[in-house]
Amino acid sequence: MKQTREFAQQLIDFCYASPTAFHAVATTRELLEKNKFVQLHETDSWKIKSGGRYYLVRNDSALVAFVAGSAPVAEQGFRIVGAHTDSPGFRIKPAPEMLTEGAYLKLNTEVYGGPILSTWFDRPLAIAGRVALKSKNPMQPQIRLLNIRRPVCIIPNIAIHMNPDANTGFTPNKQIDTLPLLGMITQKLEEKGYLGKLIASELRVKESEILDFDLFLYEHDKGCLIGTAEEFISSGRIDDLSSVHAGISAICSVSKAKATCVMACFDHEEVGSSTMQGADSQMLAEVLERIVIGLKGGRSEYFRALAASYIISADGAHAVHPNKGEKADPTSRPLINRGLVIKLSANRSYTTDAATAATFIQLCEKAGVKTQRFVNRSDMRGGSTIGPISSTHVSIRSIDIGLPMLAMHSIRELCGIEDHSAMLRVIQELYQS
Ligand code: ZN
């Protein structure tokens, strides 16, 4: 129980340290470095040693970590977990400053993915992301991560007296209603270049050095344990940093494994995955092939390895809602802290089938973890995840699973402490199998 709570607290710290996909990768790297993983670069040729621990980062927001197995990779294959580093929210547009009433300074933003917009109102918001600076070589811009960990802006609600529909179906307009307020124009605060000046002072660089940025808003407050027995975790970005955290913790704990263990953290799941660091890319296929080549194998060993491999695609799953039970399937009704959720869909928006589920259920049994099932109500279209997308690039048996959660895509999501530990244990079991 103590360990379960500690691991939940670690997740809260992990989410707090990782307000964007860039920071999720940086936080993950720190964990890997502490555990003696060596960074590989895609521009180098790789020499992989059996038992060696390695990782690589792609475009600052995706990461693949692996431990080379002791058995020949062509025979044992890969044990892979896939998860994603990004979360829905707001991205700051270029030239973002907007002045209204000659006094209010607002930021122009664009919605990233599918956040529940109403949850972003009236919350102290901070800003984080990456900034690209001038460099000697234009092909290699200088990249700096930025995290302005102060409540610098807020999206104020409209008073109910001026918005009588507030509780009866108000639909926020993404270009009008959701722009955050940064401040009042004073002599100190000018309407133009305010953000540029803020970035420059935070990074201690000249404003003229800043060429561009990928910046996002995030909730300033840290997550917490909640519930009468503190059985829940309330935090931003549980989808899908809980899987990233569990998977990275599991791979760090691998000491000797027969198969080659892989933890793949993709970006851009929330917007369809089709970028070079998303699941709909060759990233995983390339890394797996390069591992085989690094172990002195060829194309034939690579394909044999794929055929002997297994992927767990780990992403949030919907628990039955306490106030909206009718939204769940009539017979498959996952609950929080009652086990990991196997996701199934007849139209294949999840990769799970009976054979891959049978493998996962047995891994769970060995790890002492219960399983539950999720299917969409037949009159409802559900979401998708990285599993079906990545399995179109590598021919590997795959399953889609997740920990049961509530309020998916809210600025604050909710999951259970037991399930997060269960995720760690079953991934450890996979890596040992
Ligand atoms: Zn997700």
Side-chain angles (χ1 to χ4, degrees):
M1 187 61 199
K2 184 166 168 271
Q3 272 174 331
T4 301
R5 185 164 302 187
E6 262 168 35
F7 195 55
Q9 199 60 57
Q10 281 175 28
L11 171 61
I12 292 170
D13 294 343
F14 186 85
C15 291
Y16 186 61
S18 311
T20 69
F22 306 111
H23 292 82
V25 164
T27 316
T28 299
R29 273 182 74 166
E30 254 176 61
L31 273 173
L32 292 168
E33 295 276 347
K34 252 189 225 162
N35 285 277
K36 308 261 182 313
F37 280 72
V38 176
Q39 186 172 9
L40 298 172
H41 297 276
E42 291 187 85
T43 45
D44 297 342
S45 74
W46 299 354
K47 281 193 196 93
I48 311 287
K49 279 191 205 139
S50 150
R53 297 151 87 86
Y54 309 91
Y55 74 94
L56 66 129
V57 170
R58 185 176 279 190
N59 205 5
D60 304 317
S61 62
L63 179 147
V64 183
F66 62 94
V67 179
S70 58
V73 67
E75 285 166 26
Q76 279 293 325
F78 300 101
R79 302 289 176 267
I80 305 167
V81 175
H84 66 89
T85 55
D86 62 321
S87 321
F90 290 88
R91 185 196 158 100
I92 300 174
K93 285 183 172 176
E97 290 94 353
M98 294 170 82
L99 188 66
T100 51
E101 311 307 321
Y104 291 123
L105 182 64
K106 304 192 296 187
L107 274 186
N108 193 6
T109 58
E110 190 173 4
V111 173
Y112 176 81
I116 303 177
L117 295 174
S118 62
T119 63
W120 283 75
F121 286 85
D122 304 328
R123 302 251 180 177
L125 300 173
I127 293 172
R130 81 175 166 175
V131 179
L133 305 173
K134 277 185 184 166
S135 55
K136 277 194 192 130
N137 178 353
M139 298 308 287
Q140 290 167 343
Q142 204 193 131
I143 300 296
R144 296 274 299 275
L145 292 198
L146 174 70
N147 186 358
I148 305 174
R149 200 183 274 300
R150 297 196 303 278
V152 285
C153 55
I154 191 159
I155 305 170
N157 249 307
I158 315 162
I160 197 160
H161 318 81
M162 296 171 180
N163 182 24
D165 297 333
N167 294 328
T168 52
F170 166 57
T171 313
N173 179 306
K174 294 171 187 171
Q175 187 57 66
I176 298 169
D177 298 307
T178 55
L179 302 186
L181 178 64
L182 255 185
M184 300 296 290
I185 292 293
T186 59
Q187 271 173 339
K188 265 197 207 155
L189 207 59
E190 290 158 34
E191 71 181 281
K192 285 232 162 58
Y194 171 75
L195 189 71
K197 285 190 187 77
L198 184 64
I199 296 169
S201 80
E202 288 285 330
L203 293 180
R204 295 169 200 266
V205 296
K206 286 197 202 103
E207 222 182 309
S208 58
E209 287 179 72
I210 302 167
L211 297 177
D212 206 353
F213 52 75
D214 299 314
L215 292 177
F216 296 83
L217 306 179
Y218 73 94
E219 187 199 21
H220 174 258
D221 290 344
K222 190 175 178 177
C224 60
L225 295 179
I226 199 164
T228 52
E230 297 193 325
E231 62 268 65
F232 303 117
I233 303 167
S234 163
S235 171
R237 302 176 296 285
I238 286 174
D239 168 15
D240 188 26
L241 293 188
S242 60
S243 306
V244 173
H245 178 245
I248 288 295
S249 304
I251 206 162
C252 285
S253 73
V254 169
S255 59
K256 267 186 201 146
K258 271 195 287 180
T260 294
C261 305
V262 181
M263 177 67 209
C265 308
F266 300 100
D267 190 9
H268 294 144
E269 191 275 342
E270 302 294 353
V271 291
S273 295
S274 37
T275 60
M276 68 177 253
Q277 60 271 32
D280 197 0
S281 74
Q282 286 300 102
M283 180 170 79
L284 183 61
E286 288 167 4
V287 171
L288 299 182
E289 185 164 2
R290 294 193 65 176
I291 294 173
V292 174
I293 296 168
L295 290 162
K296 301 204 174 65
R299 201 80 177 144
S300 164
E301 282 78 16
Y302 171 60
F303 287 117
R304 286 175 61 206
L306 294 189
S309 299
Y310 185 79
I311 298 187
I312 293 179
S313 156
D315 201 353
H318 301 296
V320 176
H321 195 281
N323 298 337
K324 280 282 182 192
E326 70 274 19
K327 296 284 180 189
D329 178 73
T331 60
S332 290
R333 307 178 68 78
L335 298 172
I336 286 181
N337 283 336
R338 298 287 165 84
L340 296 180
V341 178
I342 298 172
K343 303 190 251 183
L344 186 76
S345 148
N347 62 23
R348 310 301 295 170
S349 54
Y350 303 123
T351 54
T352 311
D353 58 30
T356 58
T359 301
F360 184 74
I361 292 166
Q362 292 178 84
L363 290 174
C364 284
E365 278 171 2
K366 283 174 103 178
V369 167
K370 291 202 184 92
T371 53
Q372 312 183 77
R373 299 293 188 133
F374 174 85
V375 281
N376 285 302
R377 270 185 71 103
S378 303
D379 51 6
M380 238 178 240
R381 206 181 71 90
S384 188
T385 177
I386 50 174
I389 297 168
S390 64
S391 68
T392 58
H393 293 268
V394 283
S395 311
I396 299 180
R397 299 196 313 127
S398 172
I399 187 164
D400 277 287
I401 60 113
L403 87 177
M405 57 185 287
L406 295 171
M408 190 184 284
H409 289 196
S410 167
I411 197 166
R412 258 199 185 225
E413 298 168 326
L414 193 75
C415 70
I417 63 168
E418 302 286 346
D419 300 322
H420 187 50
S421 280
M423 184 71 88
L424 170 71
R425 293 204 305 278
V426 75
I427 297 174
Q428 284 173 327
E429 197 60 52
L430 168 80
Y431 287 154
Q432 291 308 324
S433 66

